[in-house]
Amino acid sequence: MSHAPTSRFHGVVPPVVTPRTADGAVDTASLEKLTKHLLEGGVSGLFVLGSSGEVPYLTNGERDVIMRTVAGVNAGAVPLIAGACEQTTPRVIAEGRRLIELGADAIVATSQFYAISDAAETETHFRSLHAALDVPLFAYDVPVRTHFKLPLPVLVQLAQDGVLAGVKDSSGDDVSFRQLLLATKDLPDFAVFTGHEVVVDGALLGGAHGAVPGLGNVDPAGYAALYAASQAGNYAEAARIQDRLANLFNIVYAPTPGRVSPGAAGLGAFKTALVLLGVIETNVMSAPMKALNEAETAVIRTVLEHNGLL
Amino acid sequence: MSHAPTSRFHGVVPPVVTPRTADGAVDTASLEKLTKHLLEGGVSGLFVLGSSGEVPYLTNGERDVIMRTVAGVNAGAVPLIAGACEQTTPRVIAEGRRLIELGADAIVATSQFYAISDAAETETHFRSLHAALDVPLFAYDVPVRTHFKLPLPVLVQLAQDGVLAGVKDSSGDDVSFRQLLLATKDLPDFAVFTGHEVVVDGALLGGAHGAVPGLGNVDPAGYAALYAASQAGNYAEAARIQDRLANLFNIVYAPTPGRVSPGAAGLGAFKTALVLLGVIETNVMSAPMKALNEAETAVIRTVLEHNGLL
Amino acid sequence: MSHAPTSRFHGVVPPVVTPRTADGAVDTASLEKLTKHLLEGGVSGLFVLGSSGEVPYLTNGERDVIMRTVAGVNAGAVPLIAGACEQTTPRVIAEGRRLIELGADAIVATSQFYAISDAAETETHFRSLHAALDVPLFAYDVPVRTHFKLPLPVLVQLAQDGVLAGVKDSSGDDVSFRQLLLATKDLPDFAVFTGHEVVVDGALLGGAHGAVPGLGNVDPAGYAALYAASQAGNYAEAARIQDRLANLFNIVYAPTPGRVSPGAAGLGAFKTALVLLGVIETNVMSAPMKALNEAETAVIRTVLEHNGLL
Amino acid sequence: MSHAPTSRFHGVVPPVVTPRTADGAVDTASLEKLTKHLLEGGVSGLFVLGSSGEVPYLTNGERDVIMRTVAGVNAGAVPLIAGACEQTTPRVIAEGRRLIELGADAIVATSQFYAISDAAETETHFRSLHAALDVPLFAYDVPVRTHFKLPLPVLVQLAQDGVLAGVKDSSGDDVSFRQLLLATKDLPDFAVFTGHEVVVDGALLGGAHGAVPGLGNVDPAGYAALYAASQAGNYAEAARIQDRLANLFNIVYAPTPGRVSPGAAGLGAFKTALVLLGVIETNVMSAPMKALNEAETAVIRTVLEHNGLL
C-alpha cells in the first residue's frame, strides 16, 4: 500500500541493457544516450550489470567499461545498484569489490549457481558478502537462472539482521513475495523490488518499494507514472497504466520461437525497441545470442506504434 | 480493475474441504455444516472436489457422497463448480458426466497428468471435454500437481472459441495470469479466478473475476469483504483485508516440516482451524496423509486468536 | 552378474501395448495375437496395463477387457504383472483388487501422483498396498510421469521388510539402480527390472534380474537372446545384441517432434512396427494421442528392414 | 565392448580434488602428493579443475596455482584435461586460453549456465570454443549443475564435424549415453567418458572409452584394475571390482543430510578419505561449504577399513 519511501532505494530502477556496435563491441556512446534516456524518464535508480544487461555474457573488461560509462553519465544523480554475477561466494566478493571501486552504490548478488548448494550455505553466502563488501547488499531471487529459489525464512532472517538492504524478486512466486513484504514491513531500510514487468501495480498495492523492469528501458516514463499513481493512492490509475505497459510488453513475443533462444528473445526485443526509438544504434546481441531480424523488428514497430511510442 | 461481473461465475468460490469422522469416513454432517458456514459467509460459488477437498485421495464412492451432500445443502443457492480429477481425456469425460448427474453446474479439469503430453494434445483435451460435457468448462492450471503449465496461447484460443468458461489459476505465474486477463477482457462470459490466497487484491486490481482460496473455508466472510472492497474501487481497503488474511494464512506453516507432507500441511491446517472454529468435528486426513497433532493445533489456535477469529 | 534366478519374476517381461481398431475400440483379436507373439518370443512374464499399454488413457472398462484378454491367452504360461494406475493409496487399492480378480499374479504401482507427497507417505503408501493386496507387489519408479523419484533408502527398507517383491525402474538414475542392486543382492525373492530398452546388458552385468522393455513388443526374441547370453556369462555377446536392439530403438525417433507428443512418439512407434510386422491391425492411439502418419511409418519400415526384422 | 583405445584420451581420468590448508589456502604440497598418488595408481589422464576440484569456488588466482602445480608434477606423463568453468562463450574462451598457457592439453567445457539458452546456441557455443582454442575440446554434460542436458543430436553432429574430441557424461541419462556411443563408434578420435562412479563396468561394456570418477582420487588403482579387466574382455571381473568400488562409494553417504550441503557431501567425503589415507593434510572445503566432522569421518574410516583400504 501507499507509503512514503524510507529507503533511498525505491521506485523505478530499470536494469540497463548493453548496447553493442555492429562489430560486437560495447557501444559506450549508445550506453550514454540510454542512461540519459532513463534519467530523463524519471527513474529512481539504475540497475547496472543485471540479466537484462547480458551480464553473464560480458567479459570482465566489458563489465568495467559499462560500469564506468553509466557512473560517468549518472554522476551521482540516482543510486547505482550493480550486479556481481559470479558462481560462488569467493568469486562474488572479488567481483563486488571491483564494481564498488568503479562506482557501485550497492551490490546485488544471486545465490550461488553451478554449485550444488542449500539454504544454510545460501545464508552463509549472503552473510559473507555483507561482511566483505562496504555497500548495501541486495539479494537477487532469480530461480529461472540459478535454479534455486531463495527461501523465504532465509530472506526474512537476513533482512531482520541487517545483512540485506533489500531483494530484487524475479522468482515468479507472488505468494512468497507477499509474505516477504508482510514480514519486513516494519524494517525502514529494507526495500523489496519486483522484477516482473506486468504486475507492478499489484506488487505496489501489496507494499513493494519499487520495480526493476527490463521494459523500463523502453518506457521509463510510463513506469515512473505508474509508480507515482500508486504513491498517490490512485490504484485504478496505476492499473490502467500497467495494462498499457503489459500490452507494450508484447514486444517480447515478436521473436520467432526456435530462431532465437528464450534468453535472447526478451532482451533482443528491448534493444530492438530502443533502436526504433532512436536511443541506441544497433540491436546486436552478445555472442552466441542472435539479434532480432527485420520481420521481428517490424512486429515490434507495430506494437510501439499501437502504444503511442512511435 | 473494478467492474460489474458479467459471468455468473465470479467472486469468492472456496474449494470445499472434506471433513472425515474419527474412523476415516466422509463426515457428511460436518460437510453440511461447512457448506452452510460458507454460504453464510457470503461466497458466490462453491468449488467441490478440488485439491483442497483432497480429491485425488477420494474413491469414486466418496466423491459421489460429497457431491450429493454439498448439492443438497446448497439447493441451487450458488453455482457448484466440480472437479473431474482424472488422468486423461477419456477418463475425465466419464468422471465429468457422473458429477453433472450429481448436480455440478460446471466442470473444472486440469491438463492430463501421469501422461506425457504437450500443448497441442492439451488443446484437443479441452475441446474434447467441452464437446462431451453439457455444462460450462473451466481449466484448472496447477503445474505443482500436473507438472505442466497451461500455455497462455492455448488458454486464449480456447477462451475466444468459447470452449472454456474460465480458468482457475494456481500456477504461481502472475505474469501469464495478467496476460490472460488482458487478452480476454472483452469476453463477457469468461471468468478468471486466482487460486492463491495471499494475492487476491492484486489479482482483482489486475482484472480477475474472483478467487478460489482454500483459506476461504476458514474465513469466507473475510474474502467476501475483500472482494466487495475491490468491487467498490476501494483497493487500499482490499489490501488491508488481504494483509490480514495473509497473516491468517500463516496457519499453513504450523505443521512441522518433515512430519507431515507438503500436501497435507496446508489442507490439514485449514481443517484444524475449522475444528477449532467448531465447524467440523475432526481434522482427520485422507490416508496416507497425517493429521496435525496437538502442538501444531496449538500454533493454529494462536494464529486464529491473533487474527480475532477465536 | 550372471546368476540363476531365484524369484519367479525374472527375465524379459515386456509391457504389452494396447492395439485399437480403426474406430478406436480395444482390438481384442490383435491383442490376442500380440500376446502369442510375445510368448512365442520367449518372454518370462507379461507386464499388463503399463505406461506402454497406454494405461492412463484407458477407461476402467477397457482395462478390464485387456486384463481378461491377456490372461485368457496366457492361461498361466508366465506370470502376469498388472499395473494399478491410480492417483493415491485408496484408489490404487481399489484398482489393484479389481485387477487381481481379473487374473493378475502381481501388482505394480507407482508412488502417488497429482498428490503432493513425500518419502514418508510413500513408504506408508506401499505398506498399505501390501497389506491390502494378496499378491506380490512391485514398485514402479517412473519420475518422468510421477515427478517423484522413489528414494533409495525407502526401496531398500521395503525390500528388506518383504513389502516389495521387486522394482521396475524407469527412473533413468543408473547410480541409484546399482546401489539398489547391491543393497538387495542377498534377498532371494526380490527382483529388480530395468525399464530402459538400450542398457539392458549393463543392467544385467550389474546384477539386475530382468528387463521390462517396451521395444520387447517388437522383438521379444531379441531381448530373450540378450538375457540368455547374459545368464550364460557371455557379456560381449549380450552387448552385441544390445547394440543391435539399441539401433532398432531408433524407431522411436521416427515421429516428427511437435506433430505427435513425446508420450505418443515411442508408443506409436512400437505399435506402427507391430502393424508392419503383421502382429496387430492398426497403429491407432488412445485419444488425444495422434497415430504416426505414412511418412513416419516409412522411416520405421526402413529401420526394421535395416535390422532384419522385415 | 573391449577395444584397443584409439584416442590418446581414454581409461581412468580422475577429477583431481583441491586440498586446502587449515587456514583455507590451496595446499600445493598436498596437491603434489595427490597427483603422485594418482599417477602411481595407474591413471591414464588427469581432469584438473573439475566439479570435484571445487572449481566454481576457486578464484582465478587459485585456479592458476592448481593448474601449475598439477602440470609440474605430471611433467607430461599423462594428458591434462582442464575445466574452463565459466558462464558463457566469451568467458569460457578467456578462461580456456589462460589454462592452455598454464599447461592444459585439452579443455573441457559445459554448456552455458546462468544464461537461458537453447540447443542451437549450445551448438554455436561449442563451435566458437573449438575455433578459439588450440587444443582438443571436450563437452561436459552435467545438467545437475547447468540445468541443461546436452542434446544427443548436437553432440553427435559436433563429434562428426570434429569439433569435439569427446564427452564427459555426468548426465545420469544412460539411454542418451548409449545412443551417443553407438552413433560415434566409428570416429577413432572421439572419446566418451562416464562421470558416474558406480556404473563404469556397464559403461565400458557398452563401448565407453573411460571414466572420470571422483572416487578415483581415493582408489585410483581400483579403477585402473576395473578398466584393465574390461579391456581384457573379462566383464565378470570388471563387475566384481565395480561392486567393491560401489560399496566404497558409500562414503558419500557419511555426511549428515542437512548439516552439509549436497554439493559438499561427496567432495567432502573424498577429501576426508584422502586425509585418512595420508595423502592430503586436511579436509577443509572451499567457503561456504562445510568440512566433514569427526563423527562423519569415523563413518568413512569404517567404510575404508571394510573395503581394505585402511
Side-chain angles (χ1 to χ4, degrees):
Chain A
M1 283 165 282
S2 175
H3 49 82
T6 52
S7 166
R8 63 185 284 227
F9 303 102
H10 64 266
V12 179
V13 184
V16 185
V17 302
T18 296
R20 291 191 178 274
T21 60
D23 64 358
V26 173
D27 178 356
T28 54
S30 285
L31 183 56
E32 289 176 354
K33 280 186 67 180
L34 172 60
T35 305
K36 287 175 196 160
H37 165 72
L38 298 174
L39 293 171
E40 289 165 4
V43 303
S44 307
L46 294 169
F47 187 160
V48 192
L49 299 175
S51 304
S52 294
E54 304 174 24
V55 65
Y57 301 89
L58 304 175
T59 63
N60 284 3
E62 290 177 329
R63 292 179 181 185
D64 293 358
V65 166
I66 289 166
M67 194 70 220
R68 277 201 191 90
T69 303
V70 174
V73 174
N74 181 61
V78 298
L80 298 186
I81 308 178
C85 183
E86 267 292 358
Q87 301 163 45
T88 57
T89 310
R91 295 179 69 89
V92 177
I93 289 174
E95 180 77 357
R97 286 180 173 155
R98 218 181 66 241
L99 299 178
I100 292 168
E101 283 184 23
L102 293 166
D105 297 307
I107 291 293
V108 58
T110 67
S111 64
Q112 300 186 115
F113 52 88
Y114 191 84
I116 302 177
S117 193
D118 63 5
E121 273 187 14
T122 300
E123 183 171 337
T124 303
H125 171 69
F126 283 111
R127 289 188 187 280
S128 300
L129 300 185
H130 175 64
L133 302 174
D134 291 329
V135 297
L137 176 66
F138 284 79
Y140 181 14
D141 197 5
V142 62
V144 71
R145 292 180 180 275
T146 61
H147 302 276
F148 182 78
K149 169 78 184 75
L150 295 180
L152 178 62
V154 170
L155 289 176
V156 172
Q157 190 64 54
L158 292 173
Q160 290 173 342
D161 293 351
V163 172
L164 291 179
V167 169
K168 188 230 160 169
D169 180 275
S170 296
S171 71
D173 183 340
D174 54 356
V175 172
S176 170
F177 186 79
R178 183 61 165 264
Q179 301 285 40
L180 178 63
L181 290 172
L182 272 178
T184 60
K185 67 193 302 186
D186 295 328
L187 300 173
D189 293 329
F190 189 76
V192 180
F193 293 83
T194 179
H196 294 298
E197 281 88 351
V198 305
V199 292
V200 177
D201 56 348
L204 294 171
L205 176 65
H209 304 78
V212 183
L215 186 65
N217 284 278
V218 180
D219 191 359
Y223 278 100
L226 194 171
Y227 180 67
S230 167
Q231 286 294 106
N234 191 348
Y235 293 108
E237 173 66 9
R240 271 186 293 271
I241 300 172
Q242 178 64 88
D243 272 359
R244 183 180 66 73
L245 291 166
N247 190 287
L248 180 62
F249 189 66
N250 285 328
I251 60 173
V252 308
Y253 304 118
T256 310
R259 204 194 67 82
V260 300
S261 72
L267 309 187
F270 299 154
K271 290 171 83 162
T272 300
L274 286 165
V275 171
L276 292 172
L277 293 173
V279 179
I280 68 176
E281 286 297 313
T282 83
N283 67 353
V284 170
M285 303 292 288
S286 302
M289 294 188 289
K290 288 180 194 154
L292 270 56
N293 62 20
E294 283 193 35
E296 293 158 344
T297 299
V299 174
I300 289 178
R301 185 191 307 273
T302 302
V303 177
L304 292 180
E305 287 172 348
H306 177 74
N307 281 280
L309 270 80
L310 273 185
Chain B
M1 282 166 279
S2 174
H3 49 84
T6 51
S7 165
R8 64 185 284 227
F9 303 102
H10 64 266
V12 179
V13 184
V16 186
V17 304
T18 297
R20 290 190 178 274
T21 61
D23 63 359
V26 172
D27 178 354
T28 52
S30 285
L31 182 56
E32 289 175 355
K33 280 187 65 181
L34 172 59
T35 304
K36 287 173 196 161
H37 166 71
L38 297 174
L39 292 172
E40 289 165 6
V43 304
S44 308
L46 294 169
F47 186 161
V48 192
L49 300 175
S51 304
S52 294
E54 305 175 24
V55 64
Y57 302 90
L58 304 174
T59 63
N60 284 2
E62 289 176 330
R63 292 179 181 184
D64 293 356
V65 165
I66 289 165
M67 194 69 220
R68 277 201 191 91
T69 303
V70 174
V73 174
N74 181 61
V78 298
L80 298 187
I81 307 178
C85 183
E86 266 293 356
Q87 303 164 42
T88 56
T89 310
R91 293 178 70 88
V92 176
I93 288 174
E95 181 77 356
R97 286 181 173 156
R98 217 180 68 241
L99 298 177
I100 293 169
E101 282 184 22
L102 293 166
D105 297 308
I107 291 294
V108 57
T110 66
S111 64
Q112 300 187 115
F113 52 87
Y114 192 84
I116 302 177
S117 193
D118 63 5
E121 273 186 14
T122 300
E123 183 171 336
T124 303
H125 170 69
F126 284 111
R127 289 188 188 280
S128 301
L129 299 185
H130 174 65
L133 302 174
D134 291 329
V135 297
L137 176 67
F138 284 79
Y140 180 14
D141 196 6
V142 62
V144 72
R145 293 181 180 274
T146 61
H147 302 276
F148 182 79
K149 169 80 182 74
L150 295 179
L152 178 62
V154 170
L155 289 176
V156 172
Q157 189 65 55
L158 293 173
Q160 290 173 342
D161 293 351
V163 172
L164 292 179
V167 169
K168 189 229 160 168
D169 180 275
S170 295
S171 73
D173 183 340
D174 53 357
V175 173
S176 169
F177 186 78
R178 183 60 164 264
Q179 301 285 42
L180 177 64
L181 289 171
L182 273 178
T184 59
K185 66 192 306 185
D186 296 328
L187 300 173
D189 291 329
F190 190 76
V192 180
F193 294 82
T194 178
H196 294 298
E197 280 88 352
V198 305
V199 292
V200 177
D201 55 348
L204 294 172
L205 177 64
H209 304 78
V212 183
L215 186 64
N217 283 278
V218 179
D219 192 358
Y223 278 100
L226 195 172
Y227 179 68
S230 168
Q231 286 294 104
N234 192 347
Y235 293 108
E237 173 65 7
R240 271 188 292 273
I241 301 171
Q242 178 64 89
D243 272 0
R244 183 180 66 72
L245 290 167
N247 191 288
L248 180 63
F249 189 67
N250 285 328
I251 59 173
V252 308
Y253 304 118
T256 311
R259 204 195 67 80
V260 299
S261 72
L267 309 187
F270 299 154
K271 290 171 83 164
T272 300
L274 286 166
V275 171
L276 292 170
L277 293 173
V279 179
I280 68 175
E281 285 298 311
T282 83
N283 67 354
V284 170
M285 303 292 287
S286 301
M289 295 189 288
K290 288 180 193 156
L292 272 56
N293 62 20
E294 283 192 34
E296 294 158 344
T297 299
V299 174
I300 289 177
R301 185 192 308 274
T302 303
V303 177
L304 293 179
E305 287 172 351
H306 178 73
N307 281 279
L309 270 79
L310 274 185
Chain C
M1 282 166 284
S2 174
H3 49 82
T6 52
S7 166
R8 63 185 284 227
F9 303 103
H10 63 265
V12 179
V13 184
V16 186
V17 303
T18 296
R20 290 191 179 274
T21 60
D23 63 359
V26 172
D27 177 354
T28 53
S30 284
L31 183 55
E32 289 176 356
K33 280 185 68 180
L34 172 60
T35 305
K36 287 174 197 162
H37 166 71
L38 298 173
L39 292 172
E40 289 165 5
V43 303
S44 308
L46 294 169
F47 187 159
V48 191
L49 299 175
S51 303
S52 294
E54 304 174 26
V55 64
Y57 301 90
L58 304 175
T59 63
N60 284 2
E62 291 176 330
R63 292 179 181 185
D64 293 358
V65 165
I66 289 165
M67 194 69 219
R68 278 202 192 92
T69 302
V70 174
V73 174
N74 182 61
V78 298
L80 298 187
I81 307 178
C85 183
E86 265 294 356
Q87 302 164 41
T88 58
T89 310
R91 294 178 68 89
V92 176
I93 289 174
E95 181 76 357
R97 286 179 173 155
R98 218 180 68 240
L99 298 178
I100 293 169
E101 282 185 22
L102 294 166
D105 297 308
I107 291 293
V108 57
T110 67
S111 64
Q112 299 186 116
F113 52 87
Y114 192 85
I116 302 176
S117 193
D118 62 5
E121 273 186 15
T122 300
E123 183 171 337
T124 302
H125 171 68
F126 284 111
R127 289 188 187 280
S128 300
L129 299 184
H130 174 65
L133 302 174
D134 291 329
V135 297
L137 176 66
F138 284 77
Y140 180 15
D141 197 4
V142 61
V144 72
R145 292 179 180 276
T146 61
H147 303 275
F148 182 79
K149 169 80 182 75
L150 294 180
L152 178 62
V154 170
L155 290 177
V156 172
Q157 190 64 54
L158 293 173
Q160 290 173 341
D161 293 352
V163 172
L164 291 180
V167 169
K168 188 230 160 167
D169 181 275
S170 297
S171 71
D173 182 340
D174 53 356
V175 173
S176 170
F177 186 79
R178 183 61 165 263
Q179 301 285 41
L180 177 64
L181 290 172
L182 273 178
T184 59
K185 67 193 302 187
D186 296 329
L187 300 173
D189 292 329
F190 189 75
V192 180
F193 293 83
T194 178
H196 294 299
E197 280 89 352
V198 305
V199 292
V200 177
D201 56 347
L204 294 171
L205 177 65
H209 304 78
V212 183
L215 186 65
N217 284 278
V218 179
D219 192 0
Y223 278 100
L226 195 171
Y227 180 68
S230 168
Q231 285 294 105
N234 191 347
Y235 294 108
E237 173 65 8
R240 270 187 293 273
I241 300 171
Q242 179 65 88
D243 273 359
R244 182 180 67 72
L245 290 167
N247 190 287
L248 180 62
F249 189 65
N250 285 329
I251 60 173
V252 308
Y253 304 118
T256 310
R259 204 194 68 80
V260 299
S261 72
L267 308 187
F270 298 154
K271 290 171 83 163
T272 300
L274 285 166
V275 171
L276 292 171
L277 293 173
V279 179
I280 68 175
E281 285 297 312
T282 83
N283 67 354
V284 170
M285 303 291 289
S286 301
M289 295 189 289
K290 287 181 194 153
L292 271 57
N293 62 20
E294 282 192 36
E296 293 158 344
T297 299
V299 174
I300 289 178
R301 185 193 306 274
T302 303
V303 177
L304 292 180
E305 287 171 350
H306 177 73
N307 280 279
L309 270 80
L310 273 186
Chain D
M1 280 166 282
S2 175
H3 50 83
T6 51
S7 165
R8 65 185 282 225
F9 303 103
H10 64 265
V12 179
V13 184
V16 186
V17 303
T18 296
R20 290 191 178 275
T21 61
D23 63 0
V26 172
D27 178 354
T28 52
S30 284
L31 183 55
E32 289 174 355
K33 280 185 67 180
L34 172 59
T35 305
K36 288 174 195 162
H37 166 71
L38 297 175
L39 292 172
E40 290 165 5
V43 303
S44 308
L46 294 168
F47 186 160
V48 191
L49 299 175
S51 304
S52 293
E54 304 174 26
V55 64
Y57 301 90
L58 305 174
T59 63
N60 284 1
E62 291 177 329
R63 292 178 181 186
D64 293 357
V65 166
I66 289 165
M67 195 69 221
R68 278 202 191 90
T69 303
V70 174
V73 174
N74 181 60
V78 297
L80 299 186
I81 307 178
C85 183
E86 267 292 357
Q87 302 162 43
T88 57
T89 310
R91 294 179 69 89
V92 176
I93 289 173
E95 181 76 358
R97 286 179 174 156
R98 218 181 67 241
L99 298 178
I100 292 169
E101 283 184 22
L102 293 165
D105 298 307
I107 291 294
V108 58
T110 67
S111 64
Q112 300 186 116
F113 51 88
Y114 191 84
I116 302 176
S117 193
D118 63 5
E121 273 186 15
T122 300
E123 182 172 336
T124 302
H125 171 69
F126 283 110
R127 289 187 188 278
S128 300
L129 300 185
H130 174 64
L133 302 174
D134 291 330
V135 297
L137 176 66
F138 283 79
Y140 181 13
D141 196 6
V142 62
V144 72
R145 293 181 179 276
T146 62
H147 302 276
F148 182 79
K149 169 79 182 75
L150 295 179
L152 177 62
V154 170
L155 290 176
V156 172
Q157 189 66 53
L158 293 173
Q160 289 173 342
D161 293 351
V163 172
L164 291 179
V167 169
K168 188 229 161 169
D169 180 274
S170 296
S171 72
D173 182 342
D174 53 357
V175 173
S176 169
F177 186 77
R178 182 61 165 263
Q179 301 285 41
L180 177 63
L181 289 171
L182 272 179
T184 60
K185 68 192 303 186
D186 296 328
L187 300 173
D189 292 329
F190 190 76
V192 181
F193 293 82
T194 178
H196 294 298
E197 282 87 352
V198 306
V199 292
V200 177
D201 55 347
L204 294 171
L205 176 64
H209 305 79
V212 184
L215 186 66
N217 284 277
V218 179
D219 191 0
Y223 278 99
L226 194 171
Y227 180 67
S230 167
Q231 286 294 104
N234 192 347
Y235 294 108
E237 173 66 7
R240 270 187 293 273
I241 300 172
Q242 179 62 91
D243 272 359
R244 183 181 65 73
L245 291 167
N247 190 289
L248 180 62
F249 188 67
N250 286 328
I251 61 173
V252 308
Y253 305 117
T256 310
R259 204 194 68 79
V260 300
S261 71
L267 309 187
F270 298 154
K271 291 171 82 163
T272 301
L274 286 165
V275 171
L276 291 171
L277 293 173
V279 179
I280 69 175
E281 285 298 311
T282 83
N283 68 354
V284 169
M285 302 293 289
S286 302
M289 294 188 289
K290 289 181 194 155
L292 270 55
N293 64 19
E294 283 192 35
E296 294 158 344
T297 299
V299 174
I300 289 178
R301 185 192 307 274
T302 303
V303 177
L304 293 179
E305 288 171 350
H306 178 73
N307 281 279
L309 271 78
L310 275 184

